[in-house]
Amino acid sequence: MAAASGAAVLGRIKSAKLEGDALVATRTTHGGRLAIEMRLEAGLAVATANDPIDHDGDIALGKRSTAAFERIPLADQSIALETAPIVIGGGRGLNEAGFVHLEQIARCLGGAVSASLPAVDLGLAPVSRQVGQSGKFVTPEIYLAIGMSGTPQHLAGIGSATRIIAINKDPEAPIFGFAESGAIADAHLLLPLLCAALATDEGMTA
């Protein structure tokens, strides 16, 4: 949406208000321990929120109008992230459609979906699914890391005994240095094929 409209991306915010003609949005970082104020003097902005945000109602720049806020949560996971035998993690290399595919894969494999901090900041997943130093710690048998670079902050949230399988189109991505196996591929092309293959196998099993 931001790319199509030439808007600034504010990430996951907690509040929004007008100060004169400028939009001032607040977001948290480091697990909520710090707050950052961002100021936009002109133009459009795109932001996400996991919870209803604090706002003064009028946030249009240069022209006052009442903004409507609607929260659309992801479906509840049937398997808890902390106890799932398989966790499918998505990073900033994915988009909304990519996370829909992760949900489908998780259902087929009896696993749960997680996300890196950058993916959560982009609004692709709620903070309740964040794995890493400022998120949850998981110890699945297999962690499928898709579209994530493999930062130390994210890997700190994965148990040392977990087998990591990585999918990334960048052959130099650090995640491959920690993965037991992986594929150098564009996740946007590979995930639909993987979903189709798993759906076929599930149908044959049934």
Side-chain angles (χ1 to χ4, degrees):
M1 185 186 300
S5 59
V9 179
L10 302 181
R12 187 178 74 249
I13 65 173
K14 298 293 289 185
S15 66
K17 62 181 180 180
L18 274 177
E19 288 186 359
D21 289 331
L23 171 69
V24 178
T26 302
R27 60 177 292 181
T28 58
T29 184
H30 290 79
R33 294 186 292 275
L34 297 176
I36 300 173
E37 277 198 352
M38 300 169 290
R39 177 181 292 269
L40 186 68
E41 299 291 343
L44 299 173
V46 175
T48 61
N50 290 321
D51 298 297
I53 69 170
D54 299 324
H55 62 94
D56 61 9
D58 297 323
I59 63 171
L61 302 185
K63 179 181 179 182
R64 305 251 174 185
S65 64
T66 300
F69 292 84
E70 181 182 3
R71 183 182 182 222
I72 304 176
L74 289 176
D76 292 335
Q77 299 195 98
S78 58
I79 299 177
L81 183 59
E82 297 88 341
T83 59
I86 298 176
V87 172
I88 299 93
R92 79 169 86 208
L94 298 182
N95 54 19
E96 291 84 352
F99 270 84
V100 170
H101 287 130
L102 297 193
E103 297 279 353
Q104 296 171 345
I105 294 170
R107 284 195 295 270
C108 290
L109 299 179
V113 174
S114 75
S116 64
L117 175 59
V120 171
D121 282 343
L122 289 172
L124 297 173
V127 70
S128 61
R129 300 195 189 186
Q130 181 186 330
V131 165
Q133 191 171 23
S134 58
K136 294 184 176 180
F137 184 79
V138 296
T139 57
E141 296 177 17
I142 296 175
Y143 189 92
L144 186 56
I146 304 174
M148 56 179 61
S149 61
T151 63
Q153 291 83 355
H154 183 74
L155 295 172
I158 305 173
S160 59
T162 295
R163 299 165 62 189
I164 298 176
I165 300 174
I167 297 176
N168 198 301
K169 64 180 180 181
D170 179 9
E172 302 299 323
I175 190 67
F176 287 118
F178 300 92
E180 182 172 304
S181 61
I184 300 171
D186 187 339
H188 297 100
L189 301 176
L190 184 59
L191 287 178
L193 299 176
L194 183 55
C195 286
L198 288 172
T200 300
D201 290 343
E202 193 174 47
M204 292 176 63
T205 302

